Amino acid sequence: MSKIVLIDGHSILNRAFYGLPDLTNAEGLHTNAVYGFLNIMFKILEEEKPDYLTVAFDVHAPTFRHEMYQEYKGTRKPMAEELREQVPLMKEVLDAMRVKTIEQAGLEADDLLGTLANRLERQGMEVVIISGDRDLLQLATEHVKIRIPKTKRTGTEIEDYYAADVKEKYLVTPVEFIDVKALMGDQSDNIPGVPNIGEKTATKIICEYGSIENAYEHVSEIKPPRASKNLAEFWEQAKLSKELATINVKADFAYELEEAKLGNLYTDEAYTYFQRLQFKNLLKRFEARTGNALEESFAIIRKREEAKRVFERAMQAETVGAAIYKNAKNVLPLFADNAGIGGIGIAFGKDEVYCLAAGNGMETAYLLDALQEIARKVSRFSMFGLKLSLQEISIPEDREGHCFDAAIAAYLLNPLKNSYDYADVAQEHLGVMIDPKATEEIQACYEAYTAFAVSGVLENKLKEAGMYHLFSDIEMPLVFTLFHMEECGVKIEGEALKFYGEQLGVRIEELEKEIYALAGEEFNINSPKQLGVVLFEHLSLPNGKKTKTGYSTAADVLEKLAMDHPIVSLILEYRQLTKLKSTYADGLSAFIREDDQRIHGKFHQTVTATGRISSTDPNLQNIPVRMELGRLIRKVFIPEDGYIFVDADYSQIELRVLAHCSGDRELIKAYKEARDIHRITASQVFHTPFDEVTSLQRRNAKAVNFGIVYGISSFGLSQDLSISRKEAEEYIKRYFETYPGIKAFLDDTVAHAKEMGYVVTLFGRRRPVPELMSSNYMQRQFGERVAMNAPIQGTAADIIKIAMVAVDKELRKRKLKSRLVLQVHDELLVEAHKDEVEEVQEILKRCMEQAADLDVPLDVDMHTGENWYEAK
């Protein structure tokens, strides 16, 4: 017996959309509903193995039910924009897979499905209907099965219903199911039903009388009396509700069964769509395509004579893509005296892709020397993660401009992604899907080929986006500066670190005792569950929000309670100190290299959406600076003997960038006159003479100044300053009256972001803002804050990068012993030889102040010290 699967398109899309987290592809298209739909469809097809498949969709137009009852479905919220954009996309994907889809103006998908089920069952077929809507249970028979997917934590589970299953679970037959709905109504479809008759009463009535018509004939016998009275009074409404709830199984529309014949879903067109939508897991369902064709041209070289010939040809090429790969069998760390290197990949043409494997007389040193020579000769030398490879191949400063890091180029084009490895970039920019299970040698070929082939593609895209200057003049030179900083590292005083940890330990013990005394009991302070019980039940603190796992004890919750009980501020301090101890006092020691007692941390260019550099191993950008004990960690960072630290920090760089970008006359004037910007703001916002501004007024003005940069709301400002929202609104209103240019700039920036989908820094860096298109109000508000802040923070990030590169180059050009060792946000730290301190200060001041030509001066605060704490 032939079988057909019928899918309720909008219903399954809707279920997938709300059942999966938000997913987007590189274009910013939302894809979670399409992804979830396909997963459900594949699961059903694997289980049912049907001969035919059809997906029915609703048409956005009135149906015959709307003509009967104008308020039909009138209570439904509009479809979320993120879901709406996926409906046509879903249809395109199904079309690419040669899946039959149907829709008909005036009819709902339910009517199409009901009619097809009725027709095809009479033709002797088995019918399986997939829908998240229980209304379709009325269609169940012995040969029509309704399958309802349910999304649970463990995955998608599917409930199956033939007619007997409906009767067993709901106590009524599928046809009687309509009558139950006629009595109880349906809030989601706005079917009125009969007032005060719920599901239990409706089921009881239909079980006894079989239909609303028969129930009406015996209306005086119905219990409870209220149901009897209401059915009599609202009989016309009950009849209307039954008509609205009944699926039309005899609708008139054209349908050719043979068009629904299930063939090969995995077409070339579908493959292209799946690549575009970045459905990596689903792509595995396709036979390897583009990649296989490429692999035929890959060659693995194991002999030195052949390798030599390859190197000679590579030297003559314009562009060479390269990769250094680790031998998975070797457990030694990568790049530890070349240990662990399995070989190199190089590519300089579609048919010139090679893996040169180490071993058998082809030493690692020989391969790396040859690669270094290629890098020093060709017009473009392209890699992924060039900085890491600089530990193995040395590139002279005059050849740095010929290097191309494809990962950084891809990052600039879309800074919101999590990964920029060669497989992701190959898929997005070359349409090549790489098998992650391929051998190390094949992967090396792919990486080298992608680095070679994608460099021109990315260059063109960067030029189209106006970001090639940003890439070539800022980001690529920065690769070498960051490498020098990592190579140099910064010294740690072990004894000072140990002492710092002991200090923290003493204070943590004191806090524990104080907390236990105030709580009147001992408990695990680190357990949110136990802490919640102590605070909100034993101590009866107000506004406890209980979740499934207990009361929320998040930092923002506790900060609001700090005035209600002294225990709260102690708990907040305890949390900060325990984090300091684990992350820094104990954590830093793990990163100290034994041979030089220095930490060689990692700096990353492709992590933040705004362009800021991030640091790991360890993360030095999250050191708490608001509390003295947090700042004290800087004491353990020390210079070598004979050296001193010089610390240079931009003064209020983001506010200065805001002044320049907005062109606000008052703010520019204040900076040019080098006056106290916060006192000026306080004077004008609070209508107080400049000399009479109080310290509190200045502090509040400072919060407004910096808050504006981050798109702060009146609610946020009210929380920061512990004032009413109305007062905060008034502060912000007065601020914009004082600096009207800023208000105009921020409004224009948000408008540009809504129109173009991104904002831009002074140096052309783009930051996409997809949140502005969200149907969720909170997401849109967040998007507006991002749009206001990203150009400012991004420009500040660009400026510090320009300064870093300039400082590093100048120190090397003058062949000084002093070296740039750390960068934290707007601050640079140089380990300066004591004979070079004045020269270093001059270099830092000049390079930082001249990094950008703004309408306001770039001021730099500079200090020296025997440790980072003193220098800061």
Side-chain angles (χ1 to χ4, degrees), residues 105-134:
L107 294 173
E108 294 183 57
D110 292 5
D111 303 311
L112 301 175
L113 296 170
T115 299
L116 284 182
N118 183 272
R119 278 189 207 173
L120 299 173
E121 183 188 13
R122 283 191 281 111
Q123 292 175 23
M125 291 181 69
E126 287 287 325
V127 180
V128 180
I129 300 176
I130 317 301
S131 177
D133 188 351
R134 293 187 180 277

PDB file of all heavy atoms in Angstrom, residues 105-134:
ATOM      1  N   ALA A 105      -5.612  30.354  -1.790  1.00  0.00           N
ATOM      2  CA  ALA A 105      -6.316  31.495  -1.192  1.00  0.00           C
ATOM      3  C   ALA A 105      -7.729  31.076  -0.809  1.00  0.00           C
ATOM      4  O   ALA A 105      -8.402  30.360  -1.546  1.00  0.00           O
ATOM      5  CB  ALA A 105      -6.355  32.654  -2.180  1.00  0.00           C
ATOM      6  N   GLY A 106      -8.180  31.523   0.357  1.00  0.00           N
ATOM      7  CA  GLY A 106      -9.523  31.198   0.829  1.00  0.00           C
ATOM      8  C   GLY A 106      -9.570  29.941   1.672  1.00  0.00           C
ATOM      9  O   GLY A 106     -10.584  29.686   2.334  1.00  0.00           O
ATOM     10  N   LEU A 107      -8.493  29.135   1.639  1.00  0.00           N
ATOM     11  CA  LEU A 107      -8.453  27.905   2.424  1.00  0.00           C
ATOM     12  C   LEU A 107      -7.251  27.935   3.368  1.00  0.00           C
ATOM     13  O   LEU A 107      -6.229  28.542   3.070  1.00  0.00           O
ATOM     14  CB  LEU A 107      -8.319  26.678   1.518  1.00  0.00           C
ATOM     15  CG  LEU A 107      -9.496  26.369   0.586  1.00  0.00           C
ATOM     16  CD1 LEU A 107      -9.119  25.232  -0.362  1.00  0.00           C
ATOM     17  CD2 LEU A 107     -10.748  26.005   1.385  1.00  0.00           C
ATOM     18  N   GLU A 108      -7.417  27.273   4.496  1.00  0.00           N
ATOM     19  CA  GLU A 108      -6.284  27.111   5.396  1.00  0.00           C
ATOM     20  C   GLU A 108      -5.550  25.821   5.051  1.00  0.00           C
ATOM     21  O   GLU A 108      -6.101  24.927   4.402  1.00  0.00           O
ATOM     22  CB  GLU A 108      -6.760  27.071   6.849  1.00  0.00           C
ATOM     23  CG  GLU A 108      -7.354  28.390   7.317  1.00  0.00           C
ATOM     24  CD  GLU A 108      -7.756  28.348   8.788  1.00  0.00           C
ATOM     25  OE1 GLU A 108      -6.891  28.053   9.631  1.00  0.00           O
ATOM     26  OE2 GLU A 108      -8.933  28.596   9.080  1.00  0.00           O
ATOM     27  N   ALA A 109      -4.310  25.723   5.520  1.00  0.00           N
ATOM     28  CA  ALA A 109      -3.528  24.501   5.298  1.00  0.00           C
ATOM     29  C   ALA A 109      -4.276  23.291   5.841  1.00  0.00           C
ATOM     30  O   ALA A 109      -4.242  22.206   5.249  1.00  0.00           O
ATOM     31  CB  ALA A 109      -2.161  24.625   5.959  1.00  0.00           C
ATOM     32  N   ASP A 110      -5.009  23.462   6.969  1.00  0.00           N
ATOM     33  CA  ASP A 110      -5.790  22.354   7.551  1.00  0.00           C
ATOM     34  C   ASP A 110      -6.777  21.780   6.532  1.00  0.00           C
ATOM     35  O   ASP A 110      -6.971  20.562   6.445  1.00  0.00           O
ATOM     36  CB  ASP A 110      -6.595  22.851   8.767  1.00  0.00           C
ATOM     37  CG  ASP A 110      -5.701  23.228   9.930  1.00  0.00           C
ATOM     38  OD1 ASP A 110      -4.468  23.200   9.754  1.00  0.00           O
ATOM     39  OD2 ASP A 110      -6.234  23.549  11.001  1.00  0.00           O
ATOM     40  N   ASP A 111      -7.429  22.673   5.768  1.00  0.00           N
ATOM     41  CA  ASP A 111      -8.418  22.234   4.787  1.00  0.00           C
ATOM     42  C   ASP A 111      -7.750  21.487   3.643  1.00  0.00           C
ATOM     43  O   ASP A 111      -8.290  20.498   3.135  1.00  0.00           O
ATOM     44  CB  ASP A 111      -9.193  23.437   4.248  1.00  0.00           C
ATOM     45  CG  ASP A 111      -9.870  24.215   5.353  1.00  0.00           C
ATOM     46  OD1 ASP A 111     -10.543  23.579   6.199  1.00  0.00           O
ATOM     47  OD2 ASP A 111      -9.721  25.445   5.393  1.00  0.00           O
ATOM     48  N   LEU A 112      -6.579  21.957   3.229  1.00  0.00           N
ATOM     49  CA  LEU A 112      -5.837  21.268   2.170  1.00  0.00           C
ATOM     50  C   LEU A 112      -5.429  19.871   2.638  1.00  0.00           C
ATOM     51  O   LEU A 112      -5.570  18.887   1.909  1.00  0.00           O
ATOM     52  CB  LEU A 112      -4.600  22.086   1.778  1.00  0.00           C
ATOM     53  CG  LEU A 112      -4.857  23.513   1.262  1.00  0.00           C
ATOM     54  CD1 LEU A 112      -3.533  24.236   1.042  1.00  0.00           C
ATOM     55  CD2 LEU A 112      -5.667  23.493  -0.032  1.00  0.00           C
ATOM     56  N   LEU A 113      -4.925  19.810   3.873  1.00  0.00           N
ATOM     57  CA  LEU A 113      -4.482  18.534   4.418  1.00  0.00           C
ATOM     58  C   LEU A 113      -5.669  17.584   4.604  1.00  0.00           C
ATOM     59  O   LEU A 113      -5.585  16.393   4.286  1.00  0.00           O
ATOM     60  CB  LEU A 113      -3.765  18.756   5.761  1.00  0.00           C
ATOM     61  CG  LEU A 113      -2.459  19.565   5.701  1.00  0.00           C
ATOM     62  CD1 LEU A 113      -1.991  19.930   7.107  1.00  0.00           C
ATOM     63  CD2 LEU A 113      -1.374  18.778   4.984  1.00  0.00           C
ATOM     64  N   GLY A 114      -6.778  18.131   5.126  1.00  0.00           N
ATOM     65  CA  GLY A 114      -7.971  17.304   5.357  1.00  0.00           C
ATOM     66  C   GLY A 114      -8.530  16.750   4.061  1.00  0.00           C
ATOM     67  O   GLY A 114      -8.900  15.569   3.978  1.00  0.00           O
ATOM     68  N   THR A 115      -8.590  17.611   3.047  1.00  0.00           N
ATOM     69  CA  THR A 115      -9.120  17.178   1.748  1.00  0.00           C
ATOM     70  C   THR A 115      -8.217  16.115   1.121  1.00  0.00           C
ATOM     71  O   THR A 115      -8.703  15.101   0.608  1.00  0.00           O
ATOM     72  CB  THR A 115      -9.260  18.384   0.804  1.00  0.00           C
ATOM     73  OG1 THR A 115     -10.176  19.315   1.393  1.00  0.00           O
ATOM     74  CG2 THR A 115      -9.761  17.969  -0.554  1.00  0.00           C
ATOM     75  N   LEU A 116      -6.909  16.345   1.150  1.00  0.00           N
ATOM     76  CA  LEU A 116      -5.973  15.370   0.583  1.00  0.00           C
ATOM     77  C   LEU A 116      -6.047  14.047   1.340  1.00  0.00           C
ATOM     78  O   LEU A 116      -6.046  12.969   0.725  1.00  0.00           O
ATOM     79  CB  LEU A 116      -4.538  15.905   0.629  1.00  0.00           C
ATOM     80  CG  LEU A 116      -4.169  16.964  -0.412  1.00  0.00           C
ATOM     81  CD1 LEU A 116      -2.711  17.361  -0.261  1.00  0.00           C
ATOM     82  CD2 LEU A 116      -4.419  16.451  -1.829  1.00  0.00           C
ATOM     83  N   ALA A 117      -6.105  14.108   2.657  1.00  0.00           N
ATOM     84  CA  ALA A 117      -6.195  12.874   3.454  1.00  0.00           C
ATOM     85  C   ALA A 117      -7.441  12.097   3.078  1.00  0.00           C
ATOM     86  O   ALA A 117      -7.406  10.877   2.898  1.00  0.00           O
ATOM     87  CB  ALA A 117      -6.204  13.219   4.946  1.00  0.00           C
ATOM     88  N   ASN A 118      -8.558  12.819   2.929  1.00  0.00           N
ATOM     89  CA  ASN A 118      -9.832  12.177   2.574  1.00  0.00           C
ATOM     90  C   ASN A 118      -9.755  11.551   1.186  1.00  0.00           C
ATOM     91  O   ASN A 118     -10.145  10.394   0.970  1.00  0.00           O
ATOM     92  CB  ASN A 118     -10.942  13.229   2.653  1.00  0.00           C
ATOM     93  CG  ASN A 118     -12.309  12.644   2.377  1.00  0.00           C
ATOM     94  OD1 ASN A 118     -12.744  12.578   1.235  1.00  0.00           O
ATOM     95  ND2 ASN A 118     -12.981  12.207   3.437  1.00  0.00           N
ATOM     96  N   ARG A 119      -9.245  12.312   0.222  1.00  0.00           N
ATOM     97  CA  ARG A 119      -9.143  11.824  -1.158  1.00  0.00           C
ATOM     98  C   ARG A 119      -8.236  10.596  -1.252  1.00  0.00           C
ATOM     99  O   ARG A 119      -8.587   9.574  -1.857  1.00  0.00           O
ATOM    100  CB  ARG A 119      -8.520  12.913  -2.051  1.00  0.00           C
ATOM    101  CG  ARG A 119      -9.450  13.975  -2.547  1.00  0.00           C
ATOM    102  CD  ARG A 119      -8.684  14.831  -3.584  1.00  0.00           C
ATOM    103  NE  ARG A 119      -9.210  16.185  -3.645  1.00  0.00           N
ATOM    104  CZ  ARG A 119      -8.642  17.154  -4.350  1.00  0.00           C
ATOM    105  NH1 ARG A 119      -7.508  16.921  -5.001  1.00  0.00           N
ATOM    106  NH2 ARG A 119      -9.172  18.360  -4.387  1.00  0.00           N
ATOM    107  N   LEU A 120      -7.035  10.736  -0.679  1.00  0.00           N
ATOM    108  CA  LEU A 120      -6.018   9.700  -0.867  1.00  0.00           C
ATOM    109  C   LEU A 120      -6.321   8.442  -0.074  1.00  0.00           C
ATOM    110  O   LEU A 120      -5.996   7.325  -0.504  1.00  0.00           O
ATOM    111  CB  LEU A 120      -4.636  10.261  -0.500  1.00  0.00           C
ATOM    112  CG  LEU A 120      -4.203  11.460  -1.367  1.00  0.00           C
ATOM    113  CD1 LEU A 120      -2.919  12.074  -0.851  1.00  0.00           C
ATOM    114  CD2 LEU A 120      -4.043  11.047  -2.834  1.00  0.00           C
ATOM    115  N   GLU A 121      -6.999   8.598   1.071  1.00  0.00           N
ATOM    116  CA  GLU A 121      -7.400   7.399   1.820  1.00  0.00           C
ATOM    117  C   GLU A 121      -8.411   6.605   1.007  1.00  0.00           C
ATOM    118  O   GLU A 121      -8.365   5.369   0.947  1.00  0.00           O
ATOM    119  CB  GLU A 121      -8.002   7.802   3.174  1.00  0.00           C
ATOM    120  CG  GLU A 121      -8.370   6.577   4.027  1.00  0.00           C
ATOM    121  CD  GLU A 121      -9.146   6.927   5.289  1.00  0.00           C
ATOM    122  OE1 GLU A 121      -9.622   8.083   5.400  1.00  0.00           O
ATOM    123  OE2 GLU A 121      -9.282   6.043   6.149  1.00  0.00           O
ATOM    124  N   ARG A 122      -9.342   7.320   0.330  1.00  0.00           N
ATOM    125  CA  ARG A 122     -10.352   6.638  -0.486  1.00  0.00           C
ATOM    126  C   ARG A 122      -9.723   5.952  -1.700  1.00  0.00           C
ATOM    127  O   ARG A 122     -10.270   5.027  -2.266  1.00  0.00           O
ATOM    128  CB  ARG A 122     -11.436   7.629  -0.929  1.00  0.00           C
ATOM    129  CG  ARG A 122     -12.412   7.944   0.216  1.00  0.00           C
ATOM    130  CD  ARG A 122     -13.649   8.713  -0.214  1.00  0.00           C
ATOM    131  NE  ARG A 122     -13.374  10.143  -0.386  1.00  0.00           N
ATOM    132  CZ  ARG A 122     -13.378  10.761  -1.546  1.00  0.00           C
ATOM    133  NH1 ARG A 122     -13.608  10.101  -2.660  1.00  0.00           N
ATOM    134  NH2 ARG A 122     -13.148  12.058  -1.616  1.00  0.00           N
ATOM    135  N   GLN A 123      -8.517   6.439  -2.066  1.00  0.00           N
ATOM    136  CA  GLN A 123      -7.793   5.803  -3.171  1.00  0.00           C
ATOM    137  C   GLN A 123      -6.928   4.634  -2.686  1.00  0.00           C
ATOM    138  O   GLN A 123      -6.158   4.058  -3.451  1.00  0.00           O
ATOM    139  CB  GLN A 123      -6.899   6.832  -3.879  1.00  0.00           C
ATOM    140  CG  GLN A 123      -7.680   7.894  -4.639  1.00  0.00           C
ATOM    141  CD  GLN A 123      -6.776   8.972  -5.224  1.00  0.00           C
ATOM    142  OE1 GLN A 123      -5.594   8.749  -5.446  1.00  0.00           O
ATOM    143  NE2 GLN A 123      -7.354  10.157  -5.467  1.00  0.00           N
ATOM    144  N   GLY A 124      -7.054   4.319  -1.389  1.00  0.00           N
ATOM    145  CA  GLY A 124      -6.347   3.154  -0.854  1.00  0.00           C
ATOM    146  C   GLY A 124      -4.957   3.446  -0.311  1.00  0.00           C
ATOM    147  O   GLY A 124      -4.148   2.521  -0.162  1.00  0.00           O
ATOM    148  N   MET A 125      -4.653   4.696  -0.018  1.00  0.00           N
ATOM    149  CA  MET A 125      -3.311   5.035   0.476  1.00  0.00           C
ATOM    150  C   MET A 125      -3.292   5.193   1.992  1.00  0.00           C
ATOM    151  O   MET A 125      -4.316   5.523   2.610  1.00  0.00           O
ATOM    152  CB  MET A 125      -2.819   6.340  -0.165  1.00  0.00           C
ATOM    153  CG  MET A 125      -2.511   6.215  -1.647  1.00  0.00           C
ATOM    154  SD  MET A 125      -1.916   7.782  -2.343  1.00  0.00           S
ATOM    155  CE  MET A 125      -0.311   7.918  -1.554  1.00  0.00           C
ATOM    156  N   GLU A 126      -2.117   4.960   2.573  1.00  0.00           N
ATOM    157  CA  GLU A 126      -1.865   5.274   3.974  1.00  0.00           C
ATOM    158  C   GLU A 126      -1.450   6.749   4.034  1.00  0.00           C
ATOM    159  O   GLU A 126      -0.606   7.200   3.253  1.00  0.00           O
ATOM    160  CB  GLU A 126      -0.728   4.416   4.539  1.00  0.00           C
ATOM    161  CG  GLU A 126      -1.100   2.965   4.778  1.00  0.00           C
ATOM    162  CD  GLU A 126      -2.014   2.794   5.994  1.00  0.00           C
ATOM    163  OE1 GLU A 126      -1.842   3.549   6.984  1.00  0.00           O
ATOM    164  OE2 GLU A 126      -2.901   1.933   5.942  1.00  0.00           O
ATOM    165  N   VAL A 127      -2.045   7.484   4.961  1.00  0.00           N
ATOM    166  CA  VAL A 127      -1.767   8.920   5.051  1.00  0.00           C
ATOM    167  C   VAL A 127      -1.193   9.234   6.439  1.00  0.00           C
ATOM    168  O   VAL A 127      -1.725   8.782   7.452  1.00  0.00           O
ATOM    169  CB  VAL A 127      -3.039   9.754   4.821  1.00  0.00           C
ATOM    170  CG1 VAL A 127      -2.727  11.246   4.928  1.00  0.00           C
ATOM    171  CG2 VAL A 127      -3.667   9.425   3.467  1.00  0.00           C
ATOM    172  N   VAL A 128      -0.097   9.993   6.454  1.00  0.00           N
ATOM    173  CA  VAL A 128       0.512  10.441   7.715  1.00  0.00           C
ATOM    174  C   VAL A 128       0.540  11.967   7.687  1.00  0.00           C
ATOM    175  O   VAL A 128       1.120  12.562   6.773  1.00  0.00           O
ATOM    176  CB  VAL A 128       1.942   9.892   7.875  1.00  0.00           C
ATOM    177  CG1 VAL A 128       2.550  10.375   9.192  1.00  0.00           C
ATOM    178  CG2 VAL A 128       1.955   8.377   7.812  1.00  0.00           C
ATOM    179  N   ILE A 129      -0.118  12.609   8.655  1.00  0.00           N
ATOM    180  CA  ILE A 129      -0.163  14.073   8.727  1.00  0.00           C
ATOM    181  C   ILE A 129       0.711  14.544   9.889  1.00  0.00           C
ATOM    182  O   ILE A 129       0.581  14.064  11.010  1.00  0.00           O
ATOM    183  CB  ILE A 129      -1.608  14.581   8.918  1.00  0.00           C
ATOM    184  CG1 ILE A 129      -2.488  14.130   7.741  1.00  0.00           C
ATOM    185  CG2 ILE A 129      -1.632  16.098   9.071  1.00  0.00           C
ATOM    186  CD1 ILE A 129      -3.944  14.510   7.889  1.00  0.00           C
ATOM    187  N   ILE A 130       1.604  15.499   9.587  1.00  0.00           N
ATOM    188  CA  ILE A 130       2.505  16.044  10.608  1.00  0.00           C
ATOM    189  C   ILE A 130       2.077  17.467  10.920  1.00  0.00           C
ATOM    190  O   ILE A 130       2.076  18.337  10.052  1.00  0.00           O
ATOM    191  CB  ILE A 130       3.970  16.066  10.116  1.00  0.00           C
ATOM    192  CG1 ILE A 130       4.332  14.773   9.389  1.00  0.00           C
ATOM    193  CG2 ILE A 130       4.922  16.358  11.268  1.00  0.00           C
ATOM    194  CD1 ILE A 130       4.174  13.526  10.206  1.00  0.00           C
ATOM    195  N   SER A 131       1.720  17.718  12.168  1.00  0.00           N
ATOM    196  CA  SER A 131       1.276  19.054  12.568  1.00  0.00           C
ATOM    197  C   SER A 131       1.449  19.221  14.062  1.00  0.00           C
ATOM    198  O   SER A 131       1.382  18.245  14.821  1.00  0.00           O
ATOM    199  CB  SER A 131      -0.198  19.262  12.196  1.00  0.00           C
ATOM    200  OG  SER A 131      -0.643  20.536  12.653  1.00  0.00           O
ATOM    201  N   GLY A 132       1.667  20.450  14.468  1.00  0.00           N
ATOM    202  CA  GLY A 132       1.711  20.737  15.893  1.00  0.00           C
ATOM    203  C   GLY A 132       0.345  21.127  16.430  1.00  0.00           C
ATOM    204  O   GLY A 132       0.180  21.414  17.614  1.00  0.00           O
ATOM    205  N   ASP A 133      -0.663  21.124  15.552  1.00  0.00           N
ATOM    206  CA  ASP A 133      -2.012  21.593  15.886  1.00  0.00           C
ATOM    207  C   ASP A 133      -2.929  20.399  16.172  1.00  0.00           C
ATOM    208  O   ASP A 133      -3.193  19.579  15.288  1.00  0.00           O
ATOM    209  CB  ASP A 133      -2.546  22.405  14.699  1.00  0.00           C
ATOM    210  CG  ASP A 133      -3.861  23.095  15.026  1.00  0.00           C
ATOM    211  OD1 ASP A 133      -4.439  22.806  16.094  1.00  0.00           O
ATOM    212  OD2 ASP A 133      -4.314  23.903  14.194  1.00  0.00           O
ATOM    213  N   ARG A 134      -3.465  20.310  17.386  1.00  0.00           N
ATOM    214  CA  ARG A 134      -4.325  19.177  17.763  1.00  0.00           C
ATOM    215  C   ARG A 134      -5.677  19.209  17.059  1.00  0.00           C
ATOM    216  O   ARG A 134      -6.413  18.226  17.082  1.00  0.00           O
ATOM    217  CB  ARG A 134      -4.532  19.161  19.283  1.00  0.00           C
ATOM    218  CG  ARG A 134      -3.260  18.858  20.020  1.00  0.00           C
ATOM    219  CD  ARG A 134      -3.428  18.674  21.506  1.00  0.00           C
ATOM    220  NE  ARG A 134      -2.130  18.398  22.082  1.00  0.00           N
ATOM    221  CZ  ARG A 134      -1.562  17.200  22.111  1.00  0.00           C
ATOM    222  NH1 ARG A 134      -2.193  16.157  21.626  1.00  0.00           N
ATOM    223  NH2 ARG A 134      -0.366  17.017  22.635  1.00  0.00           N
TER     224      ARG A 134
END
